[in-house]
Amino acid sequence: MITGLVFDIKKFSIHDGPGIRTTIFFKGCPLTCWWCHNPESQAVGAEIVFGQGKCIRCHACLVRCEQEAISWNGDGVASTDSQKCTLCGQCVEACYTEARQIVGQKMTVAQVMEKIEEDIAFYDESGGGVTFSGGEPLLQRNFLLALLRACKEKEIHTAVDTCGFASWEKLDSIREYVDLFLYDLKLMDDASHRKFTGVPNKLILENLQALSQQGHNIALRIPIIPGVNDDDENLRRTGAFAATSLHLKRVDILPYHYTAIDKYDRLHKVYGLSETRPPLDERMAEIAQILQKFDLQVKIGG
Ligand code: SF4
Ligand code: SF4
């Protein structure tokens, strides 16, 4: 039986493709973007997260944990020893305030399809469907492929939100079941791409070209991160690449926001862009104009 690790299922989504959609968030990502809105998606395995602000120091979790994996420091901050923790979920159950959570749930294809099929009437009514997102869904290719096939059997519209950092063999194996690729493009300069995402961009650009040459339906998604990729030169290079290499017309530019900053605290991760503020509306309009000069259809927002 094929199973996968899912960290969230969002129903009635209207920003992850056309119509009303169910978005399935896969756990695990090969990138570590500094602005990631879902840092809980990055680690490949399930993990415990702890929200210090919600904790009332009742120590119910500590008492319940048979593995003695939880310890308390003098400042009242709990830490979990990942070597001892078996992810049994007992501490989560014991926590009245939901300060402890397990991120990442093992699910079968049938379990996910049951969730997806609950809203078929809404997809039909709105021209929607299902979007596989993450994390990076291609990291769990077999699970993704099985879900895509199951959706196609039910004639459900499918979208895959990908960072593109996967082998062509993986993309090639799923593409016939994908109605729309939501393809993320961050930076054209390879050194900057490595710095801010942790990986080079060559494979990402090559895969995007290959999908486009195969005639796939692609919506390019560019997060606009002030001080990272919002300079005119990067935008002009992005526009030129999209227009001349890809035969691609649709680009969504997504203004940076930092609403996920609390998640970094819960995961004990450092947020590298704490000084960065969202771009002004005027700058987003200018960026749209820069890209439109390359004969691209540009939309601000998803
Ligand atoms: S998930 Fe289980 S093993 Fe891990 S900290 Fe909680 S109670 Fe202990
Ligand atoms: S059970 Fe929850 S609220 Fe109580 S100490 Fe543990 S994390 Fe804090």
Side-chain angles (χ1 to χ4, degrees):
M1 189 189 301
I2 298 175
T3 61
L5 207 57
V6 171
F7 76 89
D8 199 7
I9 295 179
K10 193 163 115 198
K11 287 174 161 263
F12 301 104
S13 165
I14 52 166
H15 296 295
D16 295 320
I20 294 172
R21 312 189 71 80
T22 296
T23 304
I24 313 295
F25 292 90
F26 285 40
K27 188 95 163 73
C29 185
L31 274 60
T32 49
C33 301
W34 286 28
W35 54 87
C36 181
H37 298 152
N38 294 322
E40 72 274 35
S41 73
Q42 290 176 349
V44 170
E47 59 194 320
I48 290 272
V49 293
F50 171 62
Q52 193 183 339
K54 283 185 171 179
C55 176
I56 55 171
R57 322 275 193 269
C58 69
H59 291 198
C61 54
L62 187 131
V63 172
R64 183 74 75 88
C65 180
E66 292 178 357
Q67 308 303 321
E68 299 183 352
I70 303 170
S71 59
W72 234 259
N73 73 16
D75 299 328
V77 178
S79 68
T80 305
D81 185 337
S82 59
Q83 301 296 317
K84 291 183 179 172
C85 176
T86 58
L87 294 167
C88 69
Q90 287 296 313
C91 59
V92 175
E93 212 172 86
C95 179
Y96 310 108
T97 65
E98 299 183 351
R100 295 182 70 83
Q101 291 178 332
I102 291 183
V103 179
Q105 186 188 353
K106 190 171 165 184
M107 295 184 80
T108 65
V109 172
Q111 285 171 328
V112 177
M113 285 307 298
E114 197 181 322
K115 294 278 183 196
I116 290 171
E117 287 175 43
E118 283 169 2
D119 294 331
I120 282 180
F122 295 103
Y123 314 148
D124 290 347
E125 187 70 23
S126 66
V130 61
T131 299
F132 298 104
S133 184
E136 171 50 59
L138 280 158
L139 266 191
Q140 301 185 60
R141 188 267 306 268
N142 292 346
F143 186 48
L144 175 62
L145 183 57
L147 284 166
L148 285 166
R149 283 180 172 147
C151 287
K152 285 293 119 199
E153 277 170 21
K154 300 282 177 185
E155 299 184 354
I156 298 172
H157 182 275
T158 59
V160 171
D161 182 3
T162 179
C163 70
F165 193 75
S167 68
W168 174 249
E169 181 266 328
K170 280 188 179 178
L171 265 172
D172 195 29
S173 67
I174 63 153
R175 63 188 177 85
E176 69 177 287
Y177 307 103
V178 181
D179 295 309
L180 172 66
F181 283 96
L182 302 171
Y183 203 103
D184 302 341
L185 192 58
K186 283 110 180 176
L187 275 154
M188 295 303 292
D189 178 71
D190 186 57
S192 297
H193 198 279
R194 287 172 193 259
K195 175 180 173 185
F196 288 109
T197 74
V199 301
N201 64 5
K202 185 168 180 279
L203 181 63
I204 294 167
L205 299 177
E206 286 173 357
N207 281 337
L208 183 50
Q209 280 184 315
L211 281 178
S212 180
Q213 281 160 6
Q214 296 290 339
H216 286 285
N217 209 0
I218 303 169
L220 207 56
R221 311 235 285 186
I222 308 174
I224 301 298
I225 320 295
V228 175
N229 68 349
D230 68 332
D231 56 286
D232 287 4
E233 190 199 338
N234 178 61
L235 295 163
R236 278 198 285 268
R237 285 179 69 183
T238 304
F241 182 79
T244 61
S245 308
L246 303 171
H247 318 290
L248 180 115
K249 296 290 174 196
R250 160 100 186 270
V251 179
D252 295 338
I253 51 175
L254 313 171
Y256 165 81
H257 61 80
Y258 50 90
T259 51
I261 204 161
D262 288 348
K263 292 184 182 177
Y264 283 77
D265 283 343
R266 290 203 290 273
L267 289 160
H268 308 295
K269 287 186 173 180
V270 175
Y271 189 64
L273 296 176
S274 54
E275 303 299 317
T276 305
R277 293 293 169 262
L280 298 173
D281 291 348
E282 293 79 12
R283 181 58 186 155
M284 289 301 292
E286 284 171 10
I287 290 169
Q289 282 176 2
I290 292 171
L291 294 169
Q292 280 160 353
K293 285 187 182 145
F294 293 92
D295 198 24
L296 297 163
Q297 184 192 324
V298 183
K299 182 171 166 232
I300 300 175

